[in-house]
Amino acid sequence: ALTLVFVYTRRLLDLQTALLAVFFSALSPFFVAHTHLMHLDGLAGSLMVLSLLAFLSYVNRQHMLDLLLSGIAAGFAWLTKTPAFALGPVLVIVTLLLLWINREDGNRGWTTVRSPLLSLLTWAVIGLCTFVLFWPAMWVDPLVTLNYIFSEALGYAGGGHGDPVFFNGTIYSDGRIPARVITFYPLTYLWRSTPIVLFGLVLTVPALWQRWSPLDRRIARDSIFALLLYALLFTLFMTLGGKKFDRYLIPIYPALHLVSAAGWAGLVRWIRSRWLDERPKKPLYVARLLGALIACQFRALQSVFPYPMSYYNPLLGGSRRAPLVMQIGWGEGLDAAGRYLNAKPGSDRLTVASWYRSALAYYFD
């Protein structure tokens, strides 16, 4: 999925932005942590962003293959996790907004779609066909199957966690964090993201304002606006649920990695035009700047290896202050405890008490 995200990012923006974006995702501690667990949020997020980018490419180039891939990615995202169904309304809103933004551009870009409604309907049909084709339960009793997954999803969202939860100094004893706590997901994003990505998001503002390359092209700006709108709408959608956890926001991470990469790419181009044009080895200096950005992201992941889940943004206080704001701990170190216990004589007869016993069970005989 991320390889295809790279392909479409290169097409919609450029090669440098695509490289930065894919490295930001591949080396993001929180994103990596959840994509190499048997968990759903990372995969769903990769597929959702792929679907959005392929749809943007279709609108720009009118290649049916792009629309087909977008619909297939959406179908697989829906099969992966129910909140991915939010992609449908998001795509409708993105389409309408970008059509309005480019209403004065004649027949260029988004306005080349003869019928936006027909394009969206085709996309939805392809996604639904994928959803049905790859889930045999839909062949047998589709209405009962759909009723079951949506009733379960609504029950989970409204019911909260089974145990009390902690956030920002408050314990919610019923396991539900109400929708009025709108700071939950923005704060968890700040804590779980890396400084280099956050700085890139800030740089996107002057990059858009000053039209730094690659945002000097309309399709690139439209893509960034679409990704930002997707991130905002999905965050608002997840805020409505009573059951909240930082990982539920992961689907916006690859989208914001792309936006951040565009901000950094714009700054690098600006630096090149202002100070490097006279240098005989200009490409080498640009490569070093991009390499330094990737190295910073790699350092964030390397600093918590092999437990990427334990990463917290050092700008906010890192792992020392994180327990004052959010629930922490996913059983990090239990693998070492398991190996230690296995080395004891008669370890196969030991009984051990542990929090996250399911995690310890993988490592303890």
Side-chain angles (χ1 to χ4, degrees):
L2 287 178
T3 302
L4 289 171
V5 165
F6 166 80
V7 171
Y8 279 108
T9 304
R10 181 180 182 182
R11 183 178 297 166
L12 294 167
L13 287 97
D14 61 13
L15 176 61
Q16 289 181 356
T17 306
L19 282 171
L20 275 179
V22 80
F23 273 112
F24 282 174
S25 289
L27 299 173
S28 167
F30 194 53
F31 188 68
V32 166
H34 279 287
T35 49
H36 90 219
L37 288 174
M38 193 192 294
H39 235 298
L40 308 173
D41 305 275
L43 178 58
S46 300
L47 291 168
M48 290 169 73
V49 171
L50 172 59
S51 179
L52 176 59
L53 292 175
F55 189 83
L56 291 170
S57 179
Y58 164 73
V59 172
N60 185 52
R61 305 193 312 158
Q62 295 292 283
H63 286 188
M64 192 61 193
L65 182 61
D66 295 335
L67 188 61
L68 179 66
L69 180 61
S70 177
I72 291 173
F76 282 133
W78 299 339
L79 284 168
T80 303
K81 195 165 187 184
T82 313
F85 279 100
L87 187 60
V90 166
L91 215 57
V92 172
I93 295 172
V94 165
T95 301
L96 294 176
L97 182 64
L98 291 181
L99 281 169
W100 181 79
I101 289 174
N102 295 288
R103 66 192 182 281
E104 298 178 355
D105 285 356
N107 290 322
R108 294 181 297 161
W110 278 85
T111 50
T112 60
V113 182
R114 294 179 182 177
S115 173
L117 179 60
L118 181 60
S119 299
L120 289 167
L121 284 175
T122 305
W123 172 86
V125 169
I126 295 170
L128 289 173
C129 288
T130 304
F131 185 84
V132 172
L133 180 63
F134 286 90
W135 194 10
M138 290 294 293
W139 311 349
V140 180
D141 204 341
L143 294 180
V144 170
T145 300
L146 290 173
N147 178 67
Y148 176 77
I149 63 167
F150 283 112
S151 60
E152 284 288 298
L154 289 172
Y156 282 127
H161 292 274
D163 298 313
V165 293
F166 169 77
F167 173 68
N168 210 18
T170 301
I171 295 175
Y172 298 89
S173 57
D174 60 355
R176 297 179 72 254
I177 299 178
R180 67 175 182 273
V181 187
I182 60 174
T183 58
F184 180 84
Y185 283 116
L187 277 178
T188 58
Y189 180 79
L190 292 176
W191 274 99
R192 290 300 199 172
S193 192
T194 61
I196 206 72
V197 169
L198 294 180
F199 286 140
L201 292 176
V202 173
L203 286 170
T204 307
V205 176
L208 286 168
W209 185 264
Q210 298 294 327
R211 302 287 176 90
W212 293 344
S213 176
L215 300 182
D216 53 343
R217 296 183 298 118
R218 180 196 47 76
I219 184 58
R221 294 194 301 275
D222 284 352
S223 300
I224 295 301
F225 286 136
L227 289 162
L228 288 171
L229 187 60
Y230 158 77
L232 174 64
L233 293 174
F234 188 81
T235 301
L236 293 174
F237 171 70
M238 296 308 298
T239 300
L240 297 176
K243 187 177 183 181
K244 294 182 173 65
F245 213 56
D246 51 6
R247 68 177 181 270
Y248 297 163
L249 198 64
I250 284 180
I252 78 167
Y253 278 63
L256 293 183
H257 290 153
L258 199 157
V259 175
S260 175
W264 278 114
L267 179 66
V268 169
R269 306 281 174 78
W270 181 78
I271 292 173
R272 182 181 65 184
S273 64
R274 292 291 295 268
W275 288 298
L276 299 182
D277 274 346
E278 305 302 323
R279 302 284 183 102
K281 298 181 179 180
K282 180 172 63 175
L284 180 61
Y285 287 105
V286 171
R288 285 175 177 174
L289 288 172
L290 296 174
L293 296 174
I294 294 170
C296 289
Q297 185 76 342
F298 173 77
R299 177 69 183 102
L301 178 62
Q302 186 268 336
S303 68
V304 288
F305 186 83
Y307 306 118
M309 197 75 73
S310 63
Y311 178 85
Y312 298 96
N313 193 338
L315 295 179
L316 276 68
S319 57
R320 289 178 53 218
R321 290 197 56 82
L324 304 176
V325 180
M326 57 202 305
Q327 292 185 183
I328 69 165
W330 272 65
E332 294 89 343
L334 289 179
D335 56 331
R339 289 190 291 269
Y340 167 78
L341 292 169
N342 288 337
K344 288 183 170 293
S347 62
D348 58 332
R349 297 187 300 275
L350 288 177
T351 299
V352 175
S354 171
W355 182 242
Y356 274 131
R357 62 182 182 180
S358 59
L360 181 62
Y362 284 111
Y363 303 100
F364 176 54
D365 296 335

